[in-house]
Amino acid sequence: MLGPILPSRTGRHLQRYNQEYRLVVGCIPYRIHGPRVEDMQVLLITSQKSANMMFPKGGWEVDENIELAASRETLEEAGVIGLLGNKLGEWTFKSKRQDKFHRGSVFPLLVTKELDIWPEKDLRRRIWMTVMEAKEACTQSWMKEALEAFICQLAHIPRAIEDRTLAPFGPVLCRSEGRLRTPCELELQTKKQII
């Protein structure tokens, strides 16, 4: 059971910077409901100030590591908890409100719990949608690139098994077969190919 819901962190006094870049982190929350590609959904949220759709993200603060920051921002903004995968990459983008640049790191997050109450529930809407719908709805180009990186990461799972770097995905996309496979199925297939 979760404890009381704390308010979102605010202010910039603990914010991390790298030279002129503000460091931000976020997640692509996802869930899988069946064996087909179309059965995977990602979670987008609205901006606090508009109906623009985006993935949850926010400032990486000095008192937390990058994984904790990504998980915290996703909990605060989207009200979900889950298993964090390997970092998808980093993107540099210009702030929409200020004449500053940010460097954003994004992680996939397999959602294991969707909360009814979360810190920014009254400020944002969250919407589950297919990957194709998310590509259309997401308003920030760097987040669309992160979504593409997520799909590419799923497509390279067999190589990740050989390298022993498999992220904590549940069933994963096997693009050549157009269906979702569990890591165990993929590992067995890889072992059969080696023998």
Side-chain angles (χ1 to χ4, degrees):
M1 171 136 188
L2 293 172
I5 300 298
L6 299 174
S8 294
R9 288 183 169 198
T10 58
R12 300 272 165 91
H13 61 284
L14 294 176
Q15 180 63 59
R16 285 183 193 249
Y17 289 86
N18 182 356
Q19 298 165 6
E20 72 274 14
Y21 299 109
R22 177 177 174 235
L23 301 181
V24 299
V25 294
C27 287
I28 297 177
Y30 72 99
R31 66 185 179 188
I32 300 170
H33 287 296
R36 297 175 309 136
V37 173
E38 295 80 20
D39 295 327
M40 183 170 68
Q41 294 181 312
V42 293
L43 182 67
L44 275 77
I45 58 171
T46 56
S47 165
Q48 281 189 1
K49 296 182 168 73
S50 73
N52 289 345
M53 300 301 296
M54 65 182 66
F55 293 110
K57 63 108 178 102
W60 176 12
E61 300 188 351
V62 296
D63 64 340
E64 57 192 356
N65 66 36
I66 193 168
E67 292 87 1
L68 178 61
S71 297
R72 175 186 53 77
E73 284 294 340
T74 304
L75 170 64
E76 288 177 356
E77 294 186 356
V80 294
I81 299 169
L83 302 172
L84 203 64
N86 294 327
K87 184 166 86 168
L88 297 168
E90 292 182 352
W91 290 265
T92 300
F93 61 97
K94 189 174 183 295
S95 171
K96 290 189 183 243
R97 288 182 280 174
Q98 303 170 354
D99 195 28
K100 294 183 179 179
F101 284 88
H102 302 313
R103 181 160 293 144
S105 297
V106 180
F107 296 82
L109 180 95
L110 175 61
V111 174
T112 58
K113 186 162 184 69
E114 200 170 339
L115 304 176
D116 295 324
I117 300 171
W118 68 95
E120 296 186 17
K121 178 181 181 179
D122 295 333
L123 302 173
R124 302 177 187 273
R125 286 184 314 121
R126 62 181 179 194
I127 302 170
W128 286 101
M129 55 185 71
T130 67
V131 170
M132 294 307 290
E133 291 169 336
K135 285 180 184 180
E136 293 295 319
C138 189
T139 57
Q140 299 183 19
S141 60
W142 74 276
M143 288 188 176
K144 289 182 181 190
E145 291 176 20
L147 182 58
E148 285 294 328
F150 174 54
I151 298 307
C152 287
Q153 188 181 68
L154 291 177
H156 291 94
I157 291 300
R159 193 195 79 211
I161 290 171
E162 291 173 24
D163 296 342
R164 300 290 180 225
T165 59
L166 185 63
F169 294 123
V172 294
L173 178 65
C174 181
R175 286 196 140 331
S176 63
E177 297 177 18
R179 71 180 192 96
L180 298 169
R181 308 267 307 267
T182 66
C184 292
E185 286 177 311
L186 289 170
E187 187 164 10
L188 285 173
Q189 178 184 1
T190 303
K191 285 180 182 175
K192 286 178 186 175
Q193 289 172 354
I194 294 171
I195 297 174

